[in-house]
Amino acid sequence: IQDVLENMIDLGFNWKYIDVADYVEMKKKQGKLKYIEVKGKVGAETKLVDTALHVSFMCDGILYNTQLDKYFLFEFKNQASFKYNGKVCVDADHVKQVTQYCLLLDLNEVLVLYENRDNCMLECPELLIVTDDMKEEQANRLITCEQYVENKIVPPKHSDTKACRWSKYKTACKKY
């Protein structure tokens, strides 16, 4: 998928893959993304850190549409068949994730490509428009989290522990 993304313009499409580090540098020259640092690449993903908001994240890519003169966040997701089948829109958890990425990267539109990991079928990209209200909600979540850390207060536990599966703080969290 990464090879195709990087060569779309050569294949006759109106889409050009933009290296994430190059995008960040371009935005910094425009006076934006002042606190974003590129920490390197892991496979096709670029590791980024927002030093002001204390957020670390992995960006799959940035695409530029030459016809529309617009940049888009690209997010690749693979899912088991039971989640993938019948998909009609971006999953709610993924909406939060890409909204945060758009907030941090000064983007407003996202192409999310879902792959069925059981049979490698690809779903056409879902276009998600990220509004200022969506970004504000994510910014407020980040600020609230920072306040818990600064005040050395353990935040209330979520009733939905689904996200805990991926947390490196799972063991510490169980103590509370």
Side-chain angles (χ1 to χ4, degrees), residues 9 13-16 64-70 72:
I9 201 81
F13 295 99
N14 295 328
W15 294 93
K16 182 178 180 183
Y64 175 72
N65 186 292
T66 58
Q67 186 176 6
L68 300 173
D69 191 30
K70 281 188 184 180
F72 293 76

Side-chain angles (χ1 to χ4, degrees), residues 40-97:
K41 283 198 170 219
V42 179
E45 296 177 303
T46 302
K47 183 171 182 144
L48 301 165
V49 173
D50 185 309
T51 57
L53 294 171
H54 307 286
V55 175
S56 173
F57 60 108
M58 301 293 286
C59 180
D60 289 339
I62 308 284
L63 299 176
Y64 175 72
N65 186 292
T66 58
Q67 186 176 6
L68 300 173
D69 191 30
K70 281 188 184 180
Y71 291 90
F72 293 76
L73 176 70
F74 175 76
E75 183 64 23
F76 179 73
K77 295 292 184 192
N78 62 31
Q79 294 183 322
S81 291
F82 74 94
K83 286 185 179 180
Y84 176 89
N85 292 334
K87 183 168 296 303
V88 294
C89 63
V90 178
D91 293 351
D93 287 342
H94 298 153
V95 170
K96 289 178 187 174
Q97 176 189 5

Side-chain angles (χ1 to χ4, degrees), residues 53 92-93 95-101 103 130-145 158:
L53 294 171
D93 287 342
V95 170
K96 289 178 187 174
Q97 176 189 5
V98 298
T99 297
Q100 183 167 297
Y101 291 8
L103 167 70
V130 176
T131 65
D132 288 341
D133 288 342
M134 293 165 69
K135 288 181 183 180
E136 184 177 341
E137 183 179 331
Q138 285 303 309
N140 289 337
R141 289 169 53 105
L142 290 171
I143 291 166
T144 299
C145 181
H158 285 276

